[in-house]
Amino acid sequence: RCYSPTKFSGVHMDTDVLFLKIERLRRLYRSEILTVPVERGDNGTFGLGLSDDNEVLRLHHDANAQVIEPGDQVISVEGVPLGRGPLSRLLAERFAERQAVTLTLSRAEPSTSTAPLTGDVFATLKLLRADGSLLQEYPSDLWRFRPDAAWGACWTLRVPRGVACASLQLQRSLLFTDPPVGSAVLQVDSLPAEELHTAWHGLRPDASRWSSSRSRPLGSSSLAGEVLISVRRYRESSSVSPGGHSLHSFDNGWESADEFFAPLLPEQHAPAPLKPIAEP
């Protein structure tokens, strides 16, 4: 929409800023989300042998053998998402007295190849309105897919009015096409203010990526992979000196739509000649 010109003089303004960083990618193949109850066995443990990434490697007893399989990826406990930390730490800190808890897992679908994705990938951060329409998008650089290493693509953006959510879409870079792998959507209003929050998010698959010959149609529980995202929403303050020129002529302070949507960059200073010094 069009923003009406506004002039400010001697005022302070706050602007929402969004910082978002892709930390890692994993399990870029079709899987499904499951919510299962697990309980402690006779030895007082849940009996899950896990990798450093909270993937189930083995079961140490049979108390949960009916609902857990080797290869399952633990995503959250009672709705509390796992970030970089191990499941054991979260259980000890939050659920030490609980005999049973509910886990959210991702599990590779039958006949799905779990071979690592190869080649170059990139991500596009999209700012969307509440009706899903696009306000602006920012693609990252190309990266060689690395499932076991930090990725590092990041954005720092002013959040314009009307933004309801941020969509992070992962895409492959092929010779003539950039097919999407999947997208993770973050509701801007639900992001914790002023805090850096890191958690795994499911990449919802693009329906066109999967052929009709697959074992079953896509559902709301389908994933195309997972992405570890660090995100922070905070307020940026700026001021205008009384008597100075108008800092803003395009809504909250940008001369044009391009400047309004531009990423935050360090201020650029141009050199200027010094004034002559009067000798006594």
Side-chain angles (χ1 to χ4, degrees):
R1 67 184 179 89
C2 295
Y3 292 83
S4 58
T6 306
K7 293 185 180 295
F8 299 88
S9 179
V11 299
H12 292 270
M13 295 168 299
D14 287 332
T15 304
D16 270 333
V17 177
L18 180 68
F19 168 80
L20 189 147
K21 180 181 179 183
I22 298 177
E23 303 283 0
R24 278 188 54 211
L25 300 167
R26 72 182 182 193
R27 299 170 70 89
L28 295 186
Y29 46 80
R30 183 169 170 178
S31 60
E32 60 180 340
I33 295 294
L34 302 173
T35 302
V36 300
V38 295
E39 59 184 16
R40 298 183 188 271
D42 295 337
N43 63 356
T45 72
F46 291 100
L48 305 180
L50 301 172
S51 70
D52 293 339
D53 211 22
N54 297 308
E55 180 178 333
V56 179
L57 301 177
R58 65 187 66 87
L59 299 177
H60 295 303
H61 56 65
D62 296 334
N64 300 301
Q66 298 300 314
V67 293
I68 300 287
E69 298 177 1
D72 288 349
Q73 177 69 55
V74 183
I75 298 175
S76 66
V77 183
E78 296 290 347
V80 181
L82 290 167
R84 294 187 179 92
L87 173 63
S88 57
R89 181 189 304 167
L90 180 59
L91 291 173
E93 292 176 351
R94 302 281 295 269
F95 307 101
E97 304 301 322
R98 295 278 295 271
Q99 181 63 26
V101 294
T102 300
L103 301 182
T104 301
L105 315 168
S106 67
R107 178 178 296 169
E109 295 192 352
S111 71
T112 294
S113 172
T114 58
L117 183 146
T118 59
D120 292 332
V121 294
F122 67 97
T124 302
L125 178 61
K126 301 180 179 182
L127 301 181
L128 307 177
R129 298 182 179 90
D131 61 2
S133 59
L134 178 67
L135 269 171
Q136 191 56 277
E137 61 182 0
Y138 304 92
S140 75
D141 295 332
L142 287 177
W143 290 79
R144 179 69 59 178
F145 174 63
R146 304 185 298 259
D148 300 323
W151 202 34
C154 63
W155 298 261
T156 303
L157 307 169
R158 296 183 180 97
V159 180
R161 292 179 181 179
V163 170
C165 58
S167 172
L168 187 69
Q169 184 179 61
L170 182 69
Q171 294 177 251
R172 300 185 66 187
S173 179
L174 303 179
L175 186 59
F176 297 110
T177 61
D178 299 320
V181 175
S183 301
V185 176
L186 291 78
Q187 300 296 325
V188 173
D189 288 342
S190 65
L191 296 176
E194 304 297 335
E195 296 180 6
L196 183 67
H197 182 69
T198 302
W200 286 97
H201 297 262
L203 291 168
R204 301 293 177 177
D206 181 82
S208 63
R209 182 187 173 206
W210 312 101
S211 68
S212 58
S213 61
R214 294 276 178 166
S215 56
R216 65 182 182 85
L218 290 173
S220 60
S221 63
S222 296
L223 292 183
E226 297 171 38
V227 55
L228 183 64
I229 298 175
S230 292
V231 62
R232 179 178 178 233
R233 178 173 62 90
Y234 60 96
R235 305 286 285 176
E236 179 198 45
S237 296
S238 59
S239 63
V240 182
S241 300
H245 70 280
S246 170
L247 176 66
H248 302 301
S249 59
F250 183 82
D251 200 53
N252 277 343
W254 290 269
E255 297 292 340
S256 65
D258 290 338
E259 184 181 353
F260 179 79
F261 287 114
L264 298 180
L265 298 173
E267 184 177 355
Q268 303 299 308
H269 299 276
L274 295 174
K275 294 182 178 180
I277 299 175
E279 297 290 341

